[in-house]
Amino acid sequence: MWLFKSTIGRKVVMSVTGISLILFLTFHCCMNLVALFSGEAYNMICALLGANWYAVVATMALAGLALLHIVYAFILTAQNRKARGDNRYEVATTVNAGKVEWASKNMLVLGIIILLGLILHLANFWYKMMFAELVGTTMGFEPTDGFGIMQYTFSQPLYAVLYVIWIVAIWFHLTHGFWSAMQTLGVSGKVWFCRWKVIGFIYTTLLMLGFLVVVLAFAFKCAPSLCCGASC
């Protein structure tokens, strides 16, 4: 099938899976922001999702999308390096070397950082929540106490720093990936090329700021739901 055998097909798979993952990140960010206002409401969402069949199916589908995206990223990177040969060692002389251009040249490095961050995130949250509920254990926390797990994790300085690095890496990755996906899918003509860059930059920046605010609020104990009525 051309989607899996041709370079263009693989780029389409990368684009579709990437957009799907951005949509998931949007939902995840909105869910996390709830924790800033009410730990009880956040735990209600965690309980609603929990280890129900639909949540398990959605998790498996999400894992499949992420796996496809990662595998094809490595395949396309290997193809590009092979096609360029020794040229990949040449120093770029382009004057226009902004953030997006830097990201496009370092997508593999960013991808590895994101993958390592994902493993850490799964160990800190998915393992202690959905997996713990599926196997009937607590892992130190009640599986539905997402607020407590979040409060503990982000209050640890090392974890807070690692999550900030992870979020920054995702931002760089998305600022390039967003408009690149639109270009691959053919919805980025001459007029819309720059527009998608601006839209992607604004959208991904706001999205990552949402995640960053949550991490920093818990790290510095400034989330209203942590203050118990006192001023932080």
Side-chain angles (χ1 to χ4, degrees), residues 182 209 224:
M182 295 303 176
L209 278 177

Side-chain angles (χ1 to χ4, degrees), residues 181-212:
M182 295 303 176
Q183 187 178 43
T184 298
L185 295 176
V187 292
S188 178
K190 292 182 179 179
V191 176
W192 275 93
F193 179 75
C194 292
R195 293 179 181 178
W196 279 124
K197 277 194 171 186
V198 174
I199 293 172
F201 180 86
I202 294 174
Y203 187 84
T204 56
T205 298
L206 291 176
L207 183 61
M208 290 302 105
L209 278 177
F211 284 109
L212 186 61

